[in-house]
Amino acid sequence: MASAQVLSLRAVNRALLARQLLLERQALPAGQPDRAARVVQTIEHLVGLQAQAPFPPYYGLHSRLDGFRPEDLATLITDRSVVRIALMRGTIHLVSARDCLPLRRLLQPVIERGMRGAFGKQLAGVDPAELAAAGRRLVEAEPMTFARLGQALAAQWPDHPPAALAQGVRTYVPLVQVPPRAVWGRAGQSMHTSAEHWLGRRRRSGEPAYPVPPASPAELAQLVTRYLGAFGPATVRDVQAWSGLTGLKAVLEQLRPSLVTFRDEQGTELFDLPTAPRPGEDTPAPVRLAAEFDNLVLSHAERSRVVSPEATSRLYTVNGVIPATVLVDGFVAGMWRLARTREDATVTIEMFGPERVRERDALIAEANRVLAFAAPGADGSVRFAPLVTDS
């Protein structure tokens, strides 16, 4: 049997960037509804965007789509074409309405495992189906914050902490955050209702609120295939790190006849889709400013394909915030932040090493692109300086 082809680190990097639309931006159509459809298509291709904070998805799409404007996403949030819901790794993601409930059902074990670790003891003796039904009634009558939801549930379960009760509902019921939360130019608390109620998906009469039916092997195979299309080539550990699911080795073995395999420079097996783009390692990678919490830097067990060991200690800080990153030659080379007032806006860039003149010019051009997107009409400036962190 012939040995598998070895992909260099740079070749794996270029494949990831191509699938993340960071080698070449896609152009948005000029008119609706094609424009909206392309944005939704992009979100689905990426299998959602990390949305722990309200606005990074706007910058994530801006870095990947030429001509993207804030209203392109804000409108999709308000018209319910996209939603924010706990999914991969138990964290909030922005996904299409079409993907919302199917993905949530596949990832239910991840959500439950996280809740048990944090609140399991506090919910001992609470029946999950009863809690789910009670919580669903409350949030479908009126969207609620977790604080208010917990207080309302405490009337029925007075011996359990309200915060734990609210998190139990978050676990057993697919809750979405509703506008004006995450609508560009607006502010709002995190208010929640059920995904079915928000999206107008009627549940079958008599269908229990809990438990959630387990995923089928075919559904898990489709999830893994979508991951490879957005983040491959990848190992079993990579897919599990992205999703939070375990036991996916069997899924990849099931898929093996339909996949191609490679080895990385350490000899680890990489799985991939046969027709997915794999540009050569010498393919130029333009300077990019990626968003905070971007899945580009969060979706692999082995992150050296985009974050070097030297950059890792600077990027993953103790406060849990994943800063917006600077990509130079395809790899994280620094961090950036936008600060604005009513009259002016500044993009501050902190590089992890000295930048060359050509890189500096490209960085300034990308920063000015961000300023034109996020602060049109403001007095914009770009500076190179250390970022002040809260770590």
Side-chain angles (χ1 to χ4, degrees):
M1 181 181 296
S3 59
Q5 177 185 347
V6 174
L7 293 181
S8 69
L9 178 63
R10 288 177 61 84
V12 173
N13 169 268
R14 294 313 193 251
L16 172 62
L17 294 179
R19 297 172 208 197
Q20 287 288 302
L21 312 181
L22 291 168
L23 275 187
E24 185 176 352
R25 293 186 178 105
Q26 289 193 346
L28 281 180
Q32 299 286 2
D34 291 344
R35 188 180 184 88
R38 180 66 61 81
V39 176
V40 172
Q41 181 185 50
T42 300
I43 294 169
E44 290 183 342
H45 166 73
L46 298 170
V47 203
L49 292 107
Q50 179 92 4
Q52 284 294 92
F55 301 112
Y58 289 86
Y59 294 95
L61 289 168
H62 175 254
S63 66
R64 293 167 167 89
L65 297 174
D66 194 27
F68 177 78
R69 300 187 296 262
E71 58 266 29
D72 291 321
L73 179 54
T75 299
L76 294 175
I77 292 173
T78 56
D79 73 11
R80 311 189 188 195
S81 296
V82 300
V83 296
R84 299 172 71 245
I85 184 171
L87 291 172
M88 285 71 74
R89 305 180 297 280
T91 58
I92 302 296
H93 278 70
L94 177 88
V95 294
S96 72
R98 182 166 43 230
D99 271 344
C100 173
L101 286 166
L103 283 177
R104 175 53 190 257
R105 187 165 65 83
L106 295 181
L107 294 157
Q108 181 67 21
V110 179
I111 310 298
E112 291 193 29
R113 186 174 67 243
M115 188 280 293
R116 286 195 300 269
F119 299 98
K121 292 182 179 179
Q122 299 177 45
L123 292 177
V126 176
D127 181 81
E130 290 184 14
L131 180 59
R136 184 182 288 277
R137 285 194 298 270
L138 287 166
V139 298
E140 289 184 353
E142 180 184 7
M144 289 184 167
T145 63
F146 283 142
R148 187 174 168 209
L149 175 60
Q151 291 166 0
L153 292 164
Q156 186 171 346
W157 289 279
D159 297 330
H160 298 273
L165 292 169
Q167 290 303 310
V169 175
R170 177 187 186 265
T171 299
Y172 305 132
V173 179
L175 297 182
V176 297
Q177 294 186 6
V178 303
R181 184 73 169 172
V183 175
W184 188 269
R186 300 176 66 184
Q189 290 182 296
S190 297
M191 307 281 284
H192 307 84
T193 190
S194 75
E196 296 95 339
H197 182 73
W198 184 250
L199 298 175
R201 310 286 171 81
R202 183 172 297 177
R203 298 169 68 242
R204 293 189 298 273
S205 177
E207 181 182 358
Y210 186 84
V212 176
S216 71
E219 289 170 326
L220 289 173
Q222 183 183 41
L223 180 68
V224 170
T225 299
R226 290 186 64 182
Y227 171 80
L228 293 176
F231 297 97
T235 66
V236 174
R237 291 180 61 243
D238 290 329
V239 190
Q240 295 183 158
W242 165 76
S243 64
L245 291 167
T246 58
L248 294 182
K249 181 177 181 180
V251 178
L252 279 155
E253 288 300 330
Q254 172 197 338
L255 286 168
R256 184 182 288 274
S258 64
L259 301 177
V260 292
T261 57
F262 302 92
R263 297 279 175 182
D264 65 16
E265 292 176 335
Q266 285 69 49
T268 306
E269 186 174 40
L270 301 169
F271 294 87
D272 206 4
L273 305 179
T275 60
R278 285 182 293 275
E281 63 179 25
D282 295 328
T283 301
V287 166
R288 292 287 188 254
L289 299 186
E292 274 187 321
F293 297 104
D294 201 295
N295 273 336
L296 174 77
V297 299
L298 290 171
S299 299
H300 299 86
E302 176 50 70
R303 298 173 178 173
S304 62
R305 70 187 63 210
V306 69
V307 186
S308 70
E310 294 76 23
T312 296
S313 61
R314 306 282 293 273
L315 196 62
Y316 304 109
T317 56
V318 295
N319 61 7
V321 174
I322 306 300
T325 53
V326 176
L327 301 181
V328 174
D329 190 30
F331 294 87
V332 172
M335 307 177 290
W336 68 275
R337 181 181 298 157
L338 171 69
R340 62 172 305 180
T341 65
R342 186 170 299 179
E343 292 80 20
D344 53 44
T346 302
V347 171
T348 301
I349 297 173
E350 177 182 350
M351 299 299 291
F352 296 157
E355 72 276 2
R356 296 170 296 187
V357 173
R358 183 174 60 184
E359 293 168 355
R360 190 180 183 92
D361 290 344
L363 288 165
I364 291 172
E366 283 293 293
N368 282 327
R369 184 175 179 271
V370 169
L371 289 167
F373 166 76
D379 183 10
S381 60
V382 181
R383 70 188 188 110
F384 291 82
L387 300 183
V388 178
T389 66
D390 299 322
S391 59

